[in-house]
Amino acid sequence: MINLQSRDYCPLLNEIEAYVKNPLFSQFCSEIKEKYKINEKIEYSSCSWEKGWNVKFKKSGKTLCTIYPREQYFTVLVVVGQKEKARVESLLPDCCAELREIYRKTTEGNGQKWLMIDLEDDGAIFRDVLRLIEIRSARQV
């Protein structure tokens, strides 16, 4: 088993997938890679909030989302900045209650909301996260 907190070894995507033990992780990564024609970047974060290896998807230098691996699920970070805020807020009424609640409870700082969304299955919140990433990618020109 890999140690995601150890800086000594950079895991491969398939090793992170084995750690998560949820096929949704692979499905999520595949959908992002295919839709945006990008590859993952596995990076180590020294941040005290989320120390360890994570998976980032970047397009044109901007991060679309960051994935924090967990056992049996994973957390997706999607940043909603000033440029995305109006579009996201107009989409919220069509999103599941869980995502609306996450958005409502997330404090805004420096004009951004850092949405931390746990994904365990391919239900409504999974589809809503993909819609948020679509909005985030729209500003990539």
mmCIF file of all heavy atoms in Angstrom, residues 1-21 25 42-47 50-55 67-75:
data_model
loop_
_atom_site.group_PDB
_atom_site.id
_atom_site.type_symbol
_atom_site.label_atom_id
_atom_site.label_comp_id
_atom_site.label_asym_id
_atom_site.label_seq_id
_atom_site.Cartn_x
_atom_site.Cartn_y
_atom_site.Cartn_z
ATOM 1 N N MET A 1 0.855 -1.180 0.000
ATOM 2 C CA MET A 1 0.000 0.000 0.000
ATOM 3 C C MET A 1 0.898 1.240 0.000
ATOM 4 O O MET A 1 1.863 1.321 0.752
ATOM 5 C CB MET A 1 -0.901 -0.030 1.236
ATOM 6 C CG MET A 1 -1.818 1.168 1.382
ATOM 7 S SD MET A 1 -3.154 1.318 0.202
ATOM 8 C CE MET A 1 -4.233 0.015 0.746
ATOM 9 N N ILE A 2 0.552 2.208 -0.824
ATOM 10 C CA ILE A 2 1.339 3.438 -0.899
ATOM 11 C C ILE A 2 0.992 4.373 0.262
ATOM 12 O O ILE A 2 -0.102 4.312 0.808
ATOM 13 C CB ILE A 2 1.116 4.162 -2.252
ATOM 14 C CG1 ILE A 2 -0.361 4.538 -2.442
ATOM 15 C CG2 ILE A 2 1.634 3.348 -3.398
ATOM 16 C CD1 ILE A 2 -0.630 5.411 -3.634
ATOM 17 N N ASN A 3 1.952 5.205 0.602
ATOM 18 C CA ASN A 3 1.742 6.208 1.648
ATOM 19 C C ASN A 3 1.618 7.560 0.956
ATOM 20 O O ASN A 3 2.610 8.113 0.486
ATOM 21 C CB ASN A 3 2.909 6.198 2.636
ATOM 22 C CG ASN A 3 2.752 7.228 3.727
ATOM 23 O OD1 ASN A 3 1.822 8.040 3.722
ATOM 24 N ND2 ASN A 3 3.674 7.217 4.671
ATOM 25 N N LEU A 4 0.405 8.089 0.893
ATOM 26 C CA LEU A 4 0.171 9.333 0.174
ATOM 27 C C LEU A 4 0.694 10.565 0.909
ATOM 28 O O LEU A 4 0.731 11.647 0.345
ATOM 29 C CB LEU A 4 -1.326 9.500 -0.125
ATOM 30 C CG LEU A 4 -1.896 8.485 -1.111
ATOM 31 C CD1 LEU A 4 -3.386 8.688 -1.289
ATOM 32 C CD2 LEU A 4 -1.191 8.575 -2.455
ATOM 33 N N GLN A 5 1.108 10.398 2.156
ATOM 34 C CA GLN A 5 1.672 11.526 2.894
ATOM 35 C C GLN A 5 3.198 11.581 2.777
ATOM 36 O O GLN A 5 3.799 12.579 3.153
ATOM 37 C CB GLN A 5 1.270 11.467 4.380
ATOM 38 C CG GLN A 5 -0.102 12.073 4.661
ATOM 39 C CD GLN A 5 -1.244 11.287 4.030
ATOM 40 O OE1 GLN A 5 -1.337 10.084 4.199
ATOM 41 N NE2 GLN A 5 -2.094 11.955 3.285
ATOM 42 N N SER A 6 3.806 10.543 2.251
ATOM 43 C CA SER A 6 5.259 10.500 2.131
ATOM 44 C C SER A 6 5.713 11.146 0.824
ATOM 45 O O SER A 6 5.303 10.734 -0.263
ATOM 46 C CB SER A 6 5.755 9.048 2.166
ATOM 47 O OG SER A 6 7.133 9.010 1.875
ATOM 48 N N ARG A 7 6.581 12.127 0.939
ATOM 49 C CA ARG A 7 7.112 12.821 -0.225
ATOM 50 C C ARG A 7 8.143 11.955 -0.974
ATOM 51 O O ARG A 7 8.527 12.247 -2.100
ATOM 52 C CB ARG A 7 7.766 14.112 0.248
ATOM 53 C CG ARG A 7 8.254 15.013 -0.830
ATOM 54 C CD ARG A 7 8.964 16.207 -0.228
ATOM 55 N NE ARG A 7 8.059 17.191 0.284
ATOM 56 C CZ ARG A 7 7.660 18.262 -0.396
ATOM 57 N NH1 ARG A 7 8.113 18.482 -1.601
ATOM 58 N NH2 ARG A 7 6.837 19.123 0.144
ATOM 59 N N ASP A 8 8.587 10.861 -0.351
ATOM 60 C CA ASP A 8 9.668 10.043 -0.883
ATOM 61 C C ASP A 8 9.340 9.313 -2.184
ATOM 62 O O ASP A 8 10.235 8.947 -2.920
ATOM 63 C CB ASP A 8 10.121 9.008 0.159
ATOM 64 C CG ASP A 8 10.677 9.663 1.410
ATOM 65 O OD1 ASP A 8 11.170 10.804 1.313
ATOM 66 O OD2 ASP A 8 10.611 9.036 2.476
ATOM 67 N N TYR A 9 8.062 9.089 -2.456
ATOM 68 C CA TYR A 9 7.695 8.321 -3.644
ATOM 69 C C TYR A 9 6.460 8.938 -4.286
ATOM 70 O O TYR A 9 5.414 9.049 -3.651
ATOM 71 C CB TYR A 9 7.408 6.863 -3.265
ATOM 72 C CG TYR A 9 6.891 6.039 -4.418
ATOM 73 C CD1 TYR A 9 7.740 5.640 -5.441
ATOM 74 C CD2 TYR A 9 5.555 5.683 -4.485
ATOM 75 C CE1 TYR A 9 7.262 4.898 -6.512
ATOM 76 C CE2 TYR A 9 5.071 4.938 -5.561
ATOM 77 C CZ TYR A 9 5.926 4.553 -6.571
ATOM 78 O OH TYR A 9 5.455 3.827 -7.635
ATOM 79 N N CYS A 10 6.603 9.330 -5.548
ATOM 80 C CA CYS A 10 5.476 9.877 -6.301
ATOM 81 C C CYS A 10 4.688 8.719 -6.909
ATOM 82 O O CYS A 10 5.192 8.005 -7.781
ATOM 83 C CB CYS A 10 5.961 10.807 -7.407
ATOM 84 S SG CYS A 10 4.610 11.458 -8.429
ATOM 85 N N PRO A 11 3.464 8.512 -6.448
ATOM 86 C CA PRO A 11 2.688 7.383 -6.962
ATOM 87 C C PRO A 11 2.207 7.626 -8.399
ATOM 88 O O PRO A 11 2.062 8.772 -8.831
ATOM 89 C CB PRO A 11 1.501 7.310 -6.004
ATOM 90 C CG PRO A 11 1.358 8.699 -5.487
ATOM 91 C CD PRO A 11 2.739 9.279 -5.448
ATOM 92 N N LEU A 12 1.977 6.544 -9.095
ATOM 93 C CA LEU A 12 1.380 6.601 -10.428
ATOM 94 C C LEU A 12 -0.136 6.661 -10.269
ATOM 95 O O LEU A 12 -0.682 6.299 -9.215
ATOM 96 C CB LEU A 12 1.774 5.363 -11.229
ATOM 97 C CG LEU A 12 3.275 5.150 -11.435
ATOM 98 C CD1 LEU A 12 3.532 3.787 -12.055
ATOM 99 C CD2 LEU A 12 3.865 6.264 -12.275
ATOM 100 N N LEU A 13 -0.821 7.072 -11.312
ATOM 101 C CA LEU A 13 -2.275 7.192 -11.241
ATOM 102 C C LEU A 13 -2.926 5.852 -10.900
ATOM 103 O O LEU A 13 -3.847 5.794 -10.081
ATOM 104 C CB LEU A 13 -2.847 7.740 -12.549
ATOM 105 C CG LEU A 13 -4.326 8.123 -12.496
ATOM 106 C CD1 LEU A 13 -4.570 9.254 -11.499
ATOM 107 C CD2 LEU A 13 -4.823 8.522 -13.880
ATOM 108 N N ASN A 14 -2.420 4.744 -11.480
ATOM 109 C CA ASN A 14 -3.029 3.441 -11.184
ATOM 110 C C ASN A 14 -2.782 3.015 -9.738
ATOM 111 O O ASN A 14 -3.577 2.289 -9.152
ATOM 112 C CB ASN A 14 -2.585 2.378 -12.183
ATOM 113 C CG ASN A 14 -1.107 2.067 -12.123
ATOM 114 O OD1 ASN A 14 -0.310 2.858 -11.623
ATOM 115 N ND2 ASN A 14 -0.741 0.922 -12.653
ATOM 116 N N GLU A 15 -1.702 3.497 -9.119
ATOM 117 C CA GLU A 15 -1.460 3.204 -7.705
ATOM 118 C C GLU A 15 -2.427 3.995 -6.818
ATOM 119 O O GLU A 15 -2.917 3.488 -5.814
ATOM 120 C CB GLU A 15 -0.013 3.529 -7.327
ATOM 121 C CG GLU A 15 0.985 2.584 -7.968
ATOM 122 C CD GLU A 15 2.416 2.988 -7.717
ATOM 123 O OE1 GLU A 15 2.769 4.164 -7.961
ATOM 124 O OE2 GLU A 15 3.190 2.118 -7.273
ATOM 125 N N ILE A 16 -2.706 5.230 -7.229
ATOM 126 C CA ILE A 16 -3.694 6.026 -6.488
ATOM 127 C C ILE A 16 -5.069 5.385 -6.636
ATOM 128 O O ILE A 16 -5.833 5.292 -5.676
ATOM 129 C CB ILE A 16 -3.687 7.490 -6.963
ATOM 130 C CG1 ILE A 16 -2.340 8.137 -6.612
ATOM 131 C CG2 ILE A 16 -4.845 8.268 -6.342
ATOM 132 C CD1 ILE A 16 -2.145 9.529 -7.176
ATOM 133 N N GLU A 17 -5.372 4.917 -7.834
ATOM 134 C CA GLU A 17 -6.651 4.231 -8.080
ATOM 135 C C GLU A 17 -6.789 3.003 -7.185
ATOM 136 O O GLU A 17 -7.844 2.771 -6.586
ATOM 137 C CB GLU A 17 -6.723 3.822 -9.554
ATOM 138 C CG GLU A 17 -8.001 3.150 -9.952
ATOM 139 C CD GLU A 17 -8.003 2.768 -11.427
ATOM 140 O OE1 GLU A 17 -7.282 3.388 -12.227
ATOM 141 O OE2 GLU A 17 -8.745 1.832 -11.768
ATOM 142 N N ALA A 18 -5.710 2.232 -7.031
ATOM 143 C CA ALA A 18 -5.740 1.046 -6.167
ATOM 144 C C ALA A 18 -5.926 1.448 -4.706
ATOM 145 O O ALA A 18 -6.598 0.755 -3.943
ATOM 146 C CB ALA A 18 -4.454 0.236 -6.336
ATOM 147 N N TYR A 19 -5.362 2.581 -4.316
ATOM 148 C CA TYR A 19 -5.516 3.081 -2.952
ATOM 149 C C TYR A 19 -6.971 3.482 -2.684
ATOM 150 O O TYR A 19 -7.537 3.164 -1.640
ATOM 151 C CB TYR A 19 -4.586 4.284 -2.742
ATOM 152 C CG TYR A 19 -4.782 4.989 -1.423
ATOM 153 C CD1 TYR A 19 -4.130 4.546 -0.277
ATOM 154 C CD2 TYR A 19 -5.611 6.094 -1.324
ATOM 155 C CE1 TYR A 19 -4.302 5.185 0.939
ATOM 156 C CE2 TYR A 19 -5.789 6.742 -0.113
ATOM 157 C CZ TYR A 19 -5.143 6.280 1.015
ATOM 158 O OH TYR A 19 -5.333 6.920 2.213
ATOM 159 N N VAL A 20 -7.589 4.175 -3.644
ATOM 160 C CA VAL A 20 -8.972 4.655 -3.482
ATOM 161 C C VAL A 20 -9.956 3.479 -3.424
ATOM 162 O O VAL A 20 -10.923 3.513 -2.676
ATOM 163 C CB VAL A 20 -9.350 5.644 -4.607
ATOM 164 C CG1 VAL A 20 -10.820 6.005 -4.560
ATOM 165 C CG2 VAL A 20 -8.494 6.907 -4.518
ATOM 166 N N LYS A 21 -9.697 2.445 -4.214
ATOM 167 C CA LYS A 21 -10.563 1.251 -4.240
ATOM 168 C C LYS A 21 -12.013 1.566 -4.583
ATOM 169 O O LYS A 21 -12.934 1.000 -4.012
ATOM 170 C CB LYS A 21 -10.516 0.515 -2.892
ATOM 171 C CG LYS A 21 -9.188 -0.056 -2.520
ATOM 172 C CD LYS A 21 -9.301 -0.836 -1.209
ATOM 173 C CE LYS A 21 -7.987 -0.988 -0.546
ATOM 174 N NZ LYS A 21 -7.725 -0.063 0.533
ATOM 175 N N PHE A 25 -13.285 6.620 -9.258
ATOM 176 C CA PHE A 25 -12.069 7.431 -9.407
ATOM 177 C C PHE A 25 -11.548 7.345 -10.841
ATOM 178 O O PHE A 25 -11.286 8.365 -11.482
ATOM 179 C CB PHE A 25 -11.005 6.965 -8.410
ATOM 180 C CG PHE A 25 -9.708 7.708 -8.533
ATOM 181 C CD1 PHE A 25 -9.537 8.939 -7.934
ATOM 182 C CD2 PHE A 25 -8.651 7.159 -9.251
ATOM 183 C CE1 PHE A 25 -8.332 9.625 -8.044
ATOM 184 C CE2 PHE A 25 -7.450 7.841 -9.370
ATOM 185 C CZ PHE A 25 -7.286 9.080 -8.768
ATOM 186 N N ILE A 42 0.320 14.688 -11.067
ATOM 187 C CA ILE A 42 0.339 14.214 -9.685
ATOM 188 C C ILE A 42 1.344 15.085 -8.941
ATOM 189 O O ILE A 42 2.508 15.172 -9.326
ATOM 190 C CB ILE A 42 0.697 12.716 -9.618
ATOM 191 C CG1 ILE A 42 -0.379 11.922 -10.372
ATOM 192 C CG2 ILE A 42 0.816 12.255 -8.173
ATOM 193 C CD1 ILE A 42 -0.083 10.459 -10.560
ATOM 194 N N GLU A 43 0.854 15.782 -7.913
ATOM 195 C CA GLU A 43 1.665 16.752 -7.207
ATOM 196 C C GLU A 43 1.599 16.512 -5.701
ATOM 197 O O GLU A 43 0.590 16.053 -5.187
ATOM 198 C CB GLU A 43 1.196 18.180 -7.509
ATOM 199 C CG GLU A 43 1.341 18.554 -8.973
ATOM 200 C CD GLU A 43 0.913 19.980 -9.271
ATOM 201 O OE1 GLU A 43 0.440 20.686 -8.353
ATOM 202 O OE2 GLU A 43 1.043 20.396 -10.432
ATOM 203 N N TYR A 44 2.671 16.893 -5.035
ATOM 204 C CA TYR A 44 2.712 16.788 -3.577
ATOM 205 C C TYR A 44 2.393 18.147 -2.985
ATOM 206 O O TYR A 44 2.957 19.159 -3.384
ATOM 207 C CB TYR A 44 4.088 16.327 -3.092
ATOM 208 C CG TYR A 44 4.107 16.037 -1.617
ATOM 209 C CD1 TYR A 44 3.706 14.795 -1.136
ATOM 210 C CD2 TYR A 44 4.489 17.003 -0.699
ATOM 211 C CE1 TYR A 44 3.693 14.522 0.217
ATOM 212 C CE2 TYR A 44 4.485 16.744 0.663
ATOM 213 C CZ TYR A 44 4.084 15.499 1.113
ATOM 214 O OH TYR A 44 4.059 15.240 2.454
ATOM 215 N N SER A 45 1.477 18.173 -2.042
ATOM 216 C CA SER A 45 1.121 19.403 -1.351
ATOM 217 C C SER A 45 1.666 19.362 0.069
ATOM 218 O O SER A 45 1.450 18.387 0.790
ATOM 219 C CB SER A 45 -0.406 19.559 -1.315
ATOM 220 O OG SER A 45 -0.753 20.645 -0.487
ATOM 221 N N SER A 46 2.347 20.414 0.447
ATOM 222 C CA SER A 46 2.851 20.537 1.814
ATOM 223 C C SER A 46 1.874 21.294 2.703
ATOM 224 O O SER A 46 2.149 21.522 3.876
ATOM 225 C CB SER A 46 4.195 21.265 1.814
ATOM 226 O OG SER A 46 5.139 20.509 1.101
ATOM 227 N N CYS A 47 0.769 21.685 2.132
ATOM 228 C CA CYS A 47 -0.241 22.450 2.865
ATOM 229 C C CYS A 47 -0.701 21.667 4.097
ATOM 230 O O CYS A 47 -0.996 20.474 4.006
ATOM 231 C CB CYS A 47 -1.422 22.718 1.938
ATOM 232 S SG CYS A 47 -2.848 23.453 2.717
ATOM 233 N N GLU A 50 -4.244 19.903 3.626
ATOM 234 C CA GLU A 50 -4.351 18.660 2.834
ATOM 235 C C GLU A 50 -2.970 18.199 2.404
ATOM 236 O O GLU A 50 -2.641 18.188 1.223
ATOM 237 C CB GLU A 50 -5.228 18.886 1.596
ATOM 238 C CG GLU A 50 -6.702 18.829 1.834
ATOM 239 C CD GLU A 50 -7.214 17.458 2.222
ATOM 240 O OE1 GLU A 50 -6.586 16.431 1.911
ATOM 241 O OE2 GLU A 50 -8.281 17.412 2.838
ATOM 242 N N LYS A 51 -2.145 17.816 3.350
ATOM 243 C CA LYS A 51 -0.783 17.376 3.049
ATOM 244 C C LYS A 51 -0.798 16.018 2.350
ATOM 245 O O LYS A 51 -1.544 15.129 2.742
ATOM 246 C CB LYS A 51 0.008 17.278 4.356
ATOM 247 C CG LYS A 51 1.461 16.986 4.168
ATOM 248 C CD LYS A 51 2.189 17.006 5.502
ATOM 249 C CE LYS A 51 3.661 16.742 5.287
ATOM 250 N NZ LYS A 51 4.400 16.815 6.533
ATOM 251 N N GLY A 52 0.008 15.884 1.309
ATOM 252 C CA GLY A 52 0.134 14.612 0.619
ATOM 253 C C GLY A 52 -0.025 14.736 -0.888
ATOM 254 O O GLY A 52 -0.122 15.828 -1.435
ATOM 255 N N TRP A 53 -0.035 13.600 -1.543
ATOM 256 C CA TRP A 53 -0.148 13.542 -3.007
ATOM 257 C C TRP A 53 -1.589 13.769 -3.430
ATOM 258 O O TRP A 53 -2.527 13.268 -2.814
ATOM 259 C CB TRP A 53 0.349 12.195 -3.527
ATOM 260 C CG TRP A 53 1.821 12.037 -3.317
ATOM 261 C CD1 TRP A 53 2.439 11.328 -2.315
ATOM 262 C CD2 TRP A 53 2.867 12.608 -4.097
ATOM 263 N NE1 TRP A 53 3.803 11.439 -2.427
ATOM 264 C CE2 TRP A 53 4.093 12.215 -3.522
ATOM 265 C CE3 TRP A 53 2.883 13.420 -5.228
ATOM 266 C CZ2 TRP A 53 5.326 12.605 -4.032
ATOM 267 C CZ3 TRP A 53 4.111 13.801 -5.747
ATOM 268 C CH2 TRP A 53 5.308 13.397 -5.164
ATOM 269 N N ASN A 54 -1.753 14.543 -4.495
ATOM 270 C CA ASN A 54 -3.074 14.752 -5.079
ATOM 271 C C ASN A 54 -2.953 14.727 -6.596
ATOM 272 O O ASN A 54 -1.854 14.680 -7.138
ATOM 273 C CB ASN A 54 -3.696 16.060 -4.567
ATOM 274 C CG ASN A 54 -2.848 17.273 -4.882
ATOM 275 O OD1 ASN A 54 -2.458 17.499 -6.024
ATOM 276 N ND2 ASN A 54 -2.545 18.072 -3.868
ATOM 277 N N VAL A 55 -4.096 14.741 -7.245
ATOM 278 C CA VAL A 55 -4.144 14.677 -8.709
ATOM 279 C C VAL A 55 -4.798 15.958 -9.208
ATOM 280 O O VAL A 55 -5.919 16.288 -8.804
ATOM 281 C CB VAL A 55 -4.962 13.454 -9.187
ATOM 282 C CG1 VAL A 55 -4.999 13.393 -10.707
ATOM 283 C CG2 VAL A 55 -4.397 12.166 -8.593
ATOM 284 N N ILE A 67 -7.942 16.495 -7.126
ATOM 285 C CA ILE A 67 -8.535 15.314 -6.494
ATOM 286 C C ILE A 67 -7.663 14.899 -5.307
ATOM 287 O O ILE A 67 -6.453 14.729 -5.450
ATOM 288 C CB ILE A 67 -8.620 14.142 -7.487
ATOM 289 C CG1 ILE A 67 -9.458 14.529 -8.707
ATOM 290 C CG2 ILE A 67 -9.186 12.901 -6.802
ATOM 291 C CD1 ILE A 67 -9.391 13.520 -9.822
ATOM 292 N N TYR A 68 -8.317 14.743 -4.160
ATOM 293 C CA TYR A 68 -7.654 14.259 -2.954
ATOM 294 C C TYR A 68 -8.110 12.827 -2.718
ATOM 295 O O TYR A 68 -9.284 12.596 -2.421
ATOM 296 C CB TYR A 68 -7.994 15.149 -1.755
ATOM 297 C CG TYR A 68 -7.508 16.568 -1.954
ATOM 298 C CD1 TYR A 68 -8.334 17.545 -2.483
ATOM 299 C CD2 TYR A 68 -6.198 16.912 -1.639
ATOM 300 C CE1 TYR A 68 -7.877 18.838 -2.690
ATOM 301 C CE2 TYR A 68 -5.733 18.204 -1.846
ATOM 302 C CZ TYR A 68 -6.583 19.163 -2.368
ATOM 303 O OH TYR A 68 -6.117 20.435 -2.573
ATOM 304 N N PRO A 69 -7.208 11.852 -2.890
ATOM 305 C CA PRO A 69 -7.586 10.440 -2.737
ATOM 306 C C PRO A 69 -7.887 10.090 -1.276
ATOM 307 O O PRO A 69 -7.220 10.559 -0.357
ATOM 308 C CB PRO A 69 -6.355 9.677 -3.209
ATOM 309 C CG PRO A 69 -5.403 10.676 -3.755
ATOM 310 C CD PRO A 69 -5.825 12.013 -3.285
ATOM 311 N N ARG A 70 -8.904 9.296 -1.088
ATOM 312 C CA ARG A 70 -9.285 8.746 0.214
ATOM 313 C C ARG A 70 -9.502 7.247 0.007
ATOM 314 O O ARG A 70 -9.574 6.779 -1.114
ATOM 315 C CB ARG A 70 -10.595 9.351 0.729
ATOM 316 C CG ARG A 70 -10.766 10.835 0.510
ATOM 317 C CD ARG A 70 -9.979 11.639 1.485
ATOM 318 N NE ARG A 70 -10.411 13.039 1.430
ATOM 319 C CZ ARG A 70 -9.609 14.040 1.646
ATOM 320 N NH1 ARG A 70 -8.346 13.836 1.916
ATOM 321 N NH2 ARG A 70 -10.043 15.274 1.606
ATOM 322 N N GLU A 71 -9.666 6.512 1.080
ATOM 323 C CA GLU A 71 -9.999 5.100 0.930
ATOM 324 C C GLU A 71 -11.504 4.980 0.724
ATOM 325 O O GLU A 71 -12.283 5.486 1.520
ATOM 326 C CB GLU A 71 -9.545 4.311 2.155
ATOM 327 C CG GLU A 71 -8.021 4.226 2.212
ATOM 328 C CD GLU A 71 -7.526 3.286 3.284
ATOM 329 O OE1 GLU A 71 -7.927 2.105 3.273
ATOM 330 O OE2 GLU A 71 -6.742 3.738 4.130
ATOM 331 N N GLN A 72 -11.901 4.392 -0.380
ATOM 332 C CA GLN A 72 -13.282 4.131 -0.784
ATOM 333 C C GLN A 72 -13.974 5.317 -1.456
ATOM 334 O O GLN A 72 -15.074 5.175 -1.973
ATOM 335 C CB GLN A 72 -14.151 3.647 0.387
ATOM 336 C CG GLN A 72 -13.624 2.417 1.085
ATOM 337 C CD GLN A 72 -13.504 1.213 0.151
ATOM 338 O OE1 GLN A 72 -14.354 0.972 -0.697
ATOM 339 N NE2 GLN A 72 -12.433 0.467 0.286
ATOM 340 N N TYR A 73 -13.366 6.492 -1.434
ATOM 341 C CA TYR A 73 -13.943 7.657 -2.112
ATOM 342 C C TYR A 73 -12.822 8.655 -2.379
ATOM 343 O O TYR A 73 -11.662 8.391 -2.091
ATOM 344 C CB TYR A 73 -15.057 8.294 -1.274
ATOM 345 C CG TYR A 73 -14.609 9.023 -0.031
ATOM 346 C CD1 TYR A 73 -14.531 10.412 -0.013
ATOM 347 C CD2 TYR A 73 -14.239 8.336 1.131
ATOM 348 C CE1 TYR A 73 -14.110 11.093 1.124
ATOM 349 C CE2 TYR A 73 -13.827 9.007 2.263
ATOM 350 C CZ TYR A 73 -13.763 10.392 2.254
ATOM 351 O OH TYR A 73 -13.353 11.055 3.374
ATOM 352 N N PHE A 74 -13.163 9.798 -2.948
ATOM 353 C CA PHE A 74 -12.180 10.850 -3.177
ATOM 354 C C PHE A 74 -12.884 12.194 -3.071
ATOM 355 O O PHE A 74 -14.108 12.283 -3.187
ATOM 356 C CB PHE A 74 -11.465 10.691 -4.530
ATOM 357 C CG PHE A 74 -12.376 10.592 -5.716
ATOM 358 C CD1 PHE A 74 -12.640 11.686 -6.522
ATOM 359 C CD2 PHE A 74 -12.974 9.379 -6.047
ATOM 360 C CE1 PHE A 74 -13.485 11.594 -7.620
ATOM 361 C CE2 PHE A 74 -13.817 9.270 -7.148
ATOM 362 C CZ PHE A 74 -14.069 10.383 -7.936
ATOM 363 N N THR A 75 -12.094 13.218 -2.784
ATOM 364 C CA THR A 75 -12.627 14.564 -2.646
ATOM 365 C C THR A 75 -12.140 15.385 -3.825
ATOM 366 O O THR A 75 -10.957 15.346 -4.164
ATOM 367 C CB THR A 75 -12.163 15.204 -1.326
ATOM 368 O OG1 THR A 75 -12.613 14.384 -0.242
ATOM 369 C CG2 THR A 75 -12.717 16.608 -1.163
#
